[in-house]
Amino acid sequence: IPEGTTKIAAYAFWNCYTMNTLKVPTSVENAGEYAFYQCRLADIYWNARACEDLYKDNAVILLFDKTCVSSSAKISLTIGPDVEIVPSYLFYEIYKGKSSTATEVTSLTFLSTICQKVGNYLFNSDYLYATKKLGYVDIADINAWAQIDFGLNYANPLRFANQMWINGERVGTEITLDNSILRIGSAT
């Protein structure tokens, strides 16, 4: 999607089965429901600076419903460096299927060091908690991560991850934050 695009309409890429990579630029402010329905994406790079929340009129706007539906589907997600706010429900229904055959989110790489908020239910919490199909979360800056306000504890993907990495290296049992940190965000 070209930089400068501000809106992705509802059903914009409906059934684009051959689309396997998606890059959303900083300029996107609004995305319509089912914008990427059944696209069979393997890589999503989300860099929208501050897209509108995906919960309106008491309903969730699903962008990625049935994005990967094959039994061996794996998907890699990246939150880009320019993201200030991750909208609620962004990847809520990205995986579908029974727990034994559903999409596996192999990784979530979080590059933003300016993110202030991750909205409620980044993923469908019941599904990920039960299946543990989030391989690892790789965080570019642990000090910036510690200051993010997560909408609910289900918004923090570390709750579901099998592993935590920092700058491409697996974390053991200890994390050290800078002494300059004055505030720890909610549900961090």
Side-chain angles (χ1 to χ4, degrees), residues 30-140:
N30 181 283
E33 69 178 332
Y34 300 113
F36 306 102
Y37 183 83
Q38 293 187 350
C39 284
R40 310 270 167 88
L41 295 166
D43 292 293
I44 298 174
Y45 186 91
W46 183 271
N47 201 30
R49 186 176 308 282
C51 187
E52 286 182 11
D53 238 7
L54 300 172
Y55 185 81
K56 296 179 184 166
D57 301 324
N58 294 320
V60 176
I61 297 170
L62 299 174
L63 296 185
F64 298 104
D65 192 30
K66 295 183 182 173
T67 296
C68 290
V69 293
S70 68
S71 62
S72 62
K74 295 179 185 290
I75 191 164
S76 162
L77 308 172
T78 302
I79 301 294
D82 299 315
V83 176
E84 294 176 5
I85 297 172
V86 178
S88 295
Y89 300 95
L90 179 59
F91 300 125
Y92 190 73
E93 292 290 343
I94 203 160
Y95 35 75
K96 282 292 195 182
K98 298 174 184 170
S99 62
S100 62
T101 61
T103 301
E104 178 182 348
V105 180
T106 57
S107 65
L108 171 63
T109 302
F110 204 94
L111 299 175
S112 179
T113 59
I114 59 172
C115 186
Q116 301 163 15
K117 177 184 175 186
V118 174
N120 297 333
Y121 297 102
L122 180 61
F123 295 104
N124 180 324
S125 57
D126 293 336
Y127 170 80
L128 275 183
Y129 192 74
T131 63
K132 303 289 189 200
K133 286 194 179 267
L134 175 53
Y136 66 88
V137 176
D138 189 359
I139 301 164

Side-chain angles (χ1 to χ4, degrees), residues 174-185:
E174 188 174 308
I175 297 170
T176 304
L177 299 176
D178 286 346
N179 289 333
S180 62
I181 302 273
L182 300 176
R183 179 184 172 281
I184 303 292

